[in-house]
Amino acid sequence: LTRIVVVAVPDDEVAQQVLTAVLELHPEARVLVRCRFENQVPLLRRLGAAAVVSEEAEASGRLLTLCREVLAN
């Protein structure tokens, strides 16, 4: 049985604390973390996150997509 835990809190420091606590209780868990800022991604990965999604990068990527769509019309 694979445990997947999703951490999606609005504070990057709290996300770090939750990630650490989850892995202490269940070291086999695959933890997916949402963070606000791209510069937090490497730290969260080092702390054991299986994957990290940065709000900052996702928003920037979406804006770029929208710019392309607007320019194409």
Side-chain angles (χ1 to χ4, degrees):
L1 176 67
T2 300
R3 291 177 193 256
I4 297 176
V5 177
V6 176
V7 178
V9 295
D11 184 300
D12 289 351
E13 189 173 317
V14 173
Q16 293 169 23
Q17 294 168 356
V18 172
L19 170 62
T20 300
V22 166
L23 291 174
E24 283 178 5
L25 292 170
H26 299 285
E28 76 288 355
R30 306 277 293 161
V31 185
L32 313 178
V33 182
R34 169 222 173 254
C35 66
R36 292 199 63 208
F37 300 108
E38 184 67 19
N39 67 354
Q40 295 298 304
V41 173
L43 173 61
L44 290 163
R45 293 288 298 178
R46 279 194 307 275
L47 290 174
V52 181
V53 174
S54 161
E55 178 182 313
E56 188 174 50
E58 292 298 316
S60 296
R62 181 67 178 131
L63 283 170
L64 181 58
T65 298
L66 290 171
C67 286
R68 289 181 182 141
E69 289 173 7
V70 168
L71 290 174
N73 293 323

